[in-house]
Amino acid sequence: MFELFRFAARDKGVLPEHRSSGMLPWLIAIMLFLTALACWAGMSLAGAAASLSSDLDRRATVQLAEPNARLREGQIRALLVELDKLSIVESVRRVSDEELSAMLDPWLGDTARNADIPVPALIDLVFTQSNRNGLDQVKALVTTVAPNAQVTADAEWLAPASSLLRTLKWLALGLVALMAVATGSVVVMAVRSSLNTHGETIDIMHLMGASDRQVAQLFERQIARDALLGGTVGVIVAILVILPLSARISSLGGGLPGETPVQWWSFPMLILLPVFGVGLARLVARRTVMSNLGDKL
Amino acid sequence: MSSIVQFDNVGLRYGTGAETLSDLSFSLRRGGFYFLTGASGAGKTSLLKLIYLALRPSRGLVRLFGEDMVTIARDRLPGFRRRIGVVFQDFRLVPHLSAFDNVALPLRLAGVSERDLQRPVAEMLEWVGLSHRSSARPATLSGGEQQRVAIARAVIGRPEMLVADEPTGNVDPEMAARLLYLFDNLNKLGTTMVVATHDLHLLSRIGSATMMRLDDGKLQDPTGLLRHPPARPDSF
């Protein structure tokens, strides 16, 4: 691992420190900054999509829009009792008036409470893990107790959101892959430019018995240092952007199930990005040098 | 007798032009001292490039240290190149390295530790009279000083064969004599010497040296001594 960053004494100064690829650390910083953002977005969306899917599969809502308040209350109580008896149901609870108001307030303001708007009663139920598809059984029971009630699987109305999250996740991961390709391309161009600049030095080294591997190691170490510097700067800036951004997203409080904008493991992954960047840059530099030197004697 | 270099019907052509070197056939015995002479453009530098493995011939057979160098795998070349010291006509010092680092370069490439190379490099620089310029870069050195650094770099690794292209072209007579003394001593220690030169005085100073003359890319060998060298006196 430490060999990755070590600068062997025998390589000291063979290539000059100031090179035509002097902009490379800053290009890598920009690439890694964008990669970190895409990576964070991908991980957050993946977490949110997974959480949403696992919740949705097991959840259903019973909606009772009976205008007669007494009848409605009676049916609700009966439904709560009967649903609770079902072995396929893990939990059942009535959505309280306060929760209903909280859900409606962002859309209707406090007029919903004061204007006597008829609001349906809602029952949330969660199926057991082994009975994710027990919706038909619940529907049959609900119809006998309250014919006006509707049973809706949460997955039905949140499916488009879940699908969108999954699409965005793959888009973000695609961006990460594209950024990796772009970073590799920048390294290839920098190494080729450096090979041209130092062609005479490399020829001299070859004539003194340097192997292609030794020449490649010089470039690898130089690129590794550039990538480590650029990658560290890029990821630090990205984290400085992500922290307030994720705080703002959390504060939106949209109330969607499975809403988890920041996964705890996102940050260790982001911190490791410069290491991945260094590994990628070294690998690309080595292959570029070896393939270019292969044409020489 | 063992030959360190063997050429058989070697030809060298750059691009699609006429052959620069034609029908070269000769053997250089291990431990010998050879002067390569010829007019400018005769092909001396091209021949030396074939010997120090900077070029492959267009045709013919080249054997170095008993191995075929024409068909050898590329990744085996560095091992043979480390056995050859080269003094280039245009010095070819690494411009951003100091005199010390230029001389140390072959040792560093061979994996010698920094601690172990300090003393031999300092001694070599002292021997060529450049101790006081060890931290100077090539651009700040005179032509003669650059040439001495180049010679120090070529011999620091104690090569089995030293190939020098006009090594005394830019030094004063006193330094030329010292360099020749160094070459002679290296040769007595067993290093095969191949020196291309115009300097007629140089030719007369090493009595045991064998002369090789190139004319228009062809080796003059009327007696066949270069193609079929006699056994060394000490081998009887």
Side-chain angles (χ1 to χ4, degrees), chain B residues 92-108:
Chain B
R92 299 189 77 172
L93 300 178
V94 181
H96 57 269
L97 293 185
S98 67
F100 183 96
D101 288 330
N102 264 288
V103 175
L105 187 56
L107 299 182
R108 286 187 172 130

Side-chain angles (χ1 to χ4, degrees), chain A residues 132-244:
Chain A
R132 290 168 174 265
N133 300 315
L135 195 65
D136 290 341
Q137 201 176 337
V138 169
K139 276 182 178 173
L141 174 70
V142 168
T143 307
T144 57
V145 177
N148 291 338
Q150 286 184 326
V151 183
T152 314
D154 286 6
E156 282 178 29
W157 62 277
L158 277 177
S162 177
S163 171
L164 177 65
L165 284 179
R166 279 195 295 273
T167 305
L168 289 174
K169 173 190 78 176
W170 288 112
L171 183 64
L173 294 178
L175 279 175
V176 171
L178 280 177
M179 295 310 294
V181 171
T183 305
S185 303
V186 167
V187 170
V188 168
M189 285 190 284
V191 169
R192 282 185 180 161
S193 160
S194 196
L195 278 169
N196 286 333
T197 306
H198 303 304
E200 171 68 8
T201 302
I202 292 165
D203 282 347
I204 294 168
M205 288 176 67
H206 270 145
L207 291 174
M208 290 181 181
S211 64
D212 290 351
R213 189 76 193 88
Q214 282 179 303
V215 176
Q217 278 174 347
L218 293 179
F219 284 87
E220 273 183 59
R221 293 197 175 100
Q222 222 167 43
I223 292 288
R225 286 199 306 275
D226 289 351
L228 186 64
L229 172 66
T232 305
V233 170
V235 168
I236 286 173
V237 175
I239 288 174
L240 291 176
V241 170
I242 287 167
L243 282 174

Side-chain angles (χ1 to χ4, degrees), chain B residues 54-88:
Chain B
L55 293 173
R56 283 192 205 261
S58 309
R59 63 181 173 90
L61 174 73
V62 174
R63 293 178 74 84
L64 256 66
F65 308 104
E67 294 255 5
D68 179 4
M69 292 294 129
V70 179
T71 57
I72 191 172
R74 192 171 175 279
D75 58 0
R76 290 191 61 209
L77 283 174
F80 288 99
R81 284 173 172 152
R82 285 180 192 170
R83 297 164 72 177
I84 306 169
V86 187
V87 182
F88 302 100

Side-chain angles (χ1 to χ4, degrees), chain A residues 58-64 74-95 121-128 131 134-146 149-152:
Chain A
R58 298 172 55 205
R59 294 170 75 105
T61 302
V62 180
Q63 183 178 248
L64 187 57
Q75 287 177 336
I76 284 288
R77 275 195 293 273
L79 278 173
L80 286 171
V81 170
E82 293 304 320
L83 287 171
D84 201 32
K85 287 178 185 170
L86 288 178
S87 61
I88 60 169
V89 173
E90 184 178 283
S91 67
V92 57
R93 72 174 189 95
R94 179 178 183 176
V95 179
L122 298 179
I123 294 173
D124 266 353
L125 65 89
V126 179
F127 294 106
T128 56
N131 291 283
L135 195 65
D136 290 341
Q137 201 176 337
V138 169
K139 276 182 178 173
L141 174 70
V142 168
T143 307
T144 57
V145 177
Q150 286 184 326
V151 183
T152 314

